[in-house]
Amino acid sequence: MAVAIVTGASRGLGRALAAELAGQGWSVVVSGRNAGALSGAADRPGVVALAGDVRHGPHRAALVAAARRLGGLDLLVNNAAVLGAEPLVPLAEQSPAGFRRALEVNLVAPLALVQEALPLLRASPRGAVLNLSSAAAVTAYPTWGAYGATKAGLDLLSGVLAVEEPGLRVWWADPGSMATPMMASAEPDADLGALPTPEEVAPLLLRLVAERPQSGRYTARGLAREAAVT
């Protein structure tokens, strides 16, 4: 049975990705800081919930150990992220402490978890890493500078990982704007009614896992266009 780790799985896209994988028969180790919300995400067969903060080494080790007990690790999904300021603010008002936390969660922790998981991923014939990116990583949106900088860093880290680990698939994927609690926190005045839900986006992103295209940057919008053609 295939095994995945999904971080930031207590709500939003992480929760939707974990549910979609579990529905496809995967064993999934889910991580999140909110134990109560995470327990709801684990309310299905094959899902193991471990509450904790991805910034902490013992928690990352526990996630990989849980995957090992399930038989190995085929997919690591680095989804956990924070904005750095809620609501978002211009760079002139961005607190260094908030930016530092965003760097730790959005960039340092994914690298550290990849390092922890690499032995298992290398041992899998279908080992893959899916890092969640953002349009803010490649476009200069006002107020999104600090968050976007962390995602731009994650994009570059992903590209280097793909070169250094040719035996793995490494995808960095932009899910696009979604109706999520994070988006509501980022821009409280935004109308989220027209945006897709995480449950609509998750199957698009997981086409990467099913079809295993070359390592690279993908968008949910592009994957949707390809799905419509095929």
Side-chain angles (χ1 to χ4, degrees):
M1 182 177 292
V3 180
I5 293 173
V6 181
T7 67
S10 61
R11 63 179 191 171
L13 182 60
R15 183 167 182 150
L17 287 167
E20 186 73 17
L21 286 166
Q24 295 176 12
W26 285 63
S27 294
V28 188
V29 181
V30 295
S31 164
R33 288 175 293 132
N34 187 319
L38 191 64
S39 65
D43 189 21
R44 61 174 60 229
V47 178
V48 176
L50 294 177
D53 192 321
V54 291
R55 293 178 296 174
H56 300 155
H59 179 60
R60 295 191 299 266
L63 294 174
V64 175
R68 185 179 294 109
R69 289 192 295 272
L70 291 170
L73 183 62
D74 305 286
L75 174 65
L76 170 60
V77 181
N78 279 310
N79 169 77
V82 298
L83 293 167
E86 297 184 13
L88 293 174
V89 295
L91 288 175
E93 302 170 21
Q94 174 67 52
S95 77
F99 184 41
R100 189 174 297 110
R101 180 167 181 258
L103 283 168
E104 287 286 341
V105 175
N106 303 356
L107 185 55
V108 178
L111 172 58
L113 187 51
V114 164
Q115 291 171 335
E116 188 81 35
L118 266 177
L120 292 184
L121 290 169
R122 287 168 174 162
S124 168
R126 295 178 63 83
V129 177
L130 173 58
N131 289 329
L132 273 297
S133 183
S134 167
V138 295
T139 304
Y141 296 120
T143 73
W144 287 85
Y147 177 82
T150 68
K151 290 299 185 178
L154 185 61
D155 279 8
L156 183 57
L157 183 150
S158 301
V160 173
L161 180 66
V163 172
E164 294 177 344
E165 297 289 338
L168 303 181
R169 287 290 193 270
V170 183
W171 307 298
W172 46 112
D174 168 18
S177 296
M178 297 173 289
T180 62
M182 175 178 273
M183 189 64 181
S185 297
E187 298 183 354
D189 296 329
D191 180 8
L192 306 186
L195 297 179
T197 66
E199 289 72 22
E200 292 171 315
V201 173
L204 295 173
L205 297 180
L206 291 180
R207 290 189 68 207
L208 296 168
V209 179
E211 299 172 11
R212 292 184 62 81
Q214 292 300 308
S215 296
R217 192 177 199 278
Y218 294 84
T219 68
R221 181 174 295 182
L223 292 166
R225 286 196 297 267
E226 293 176 11
V229 171
T230 57

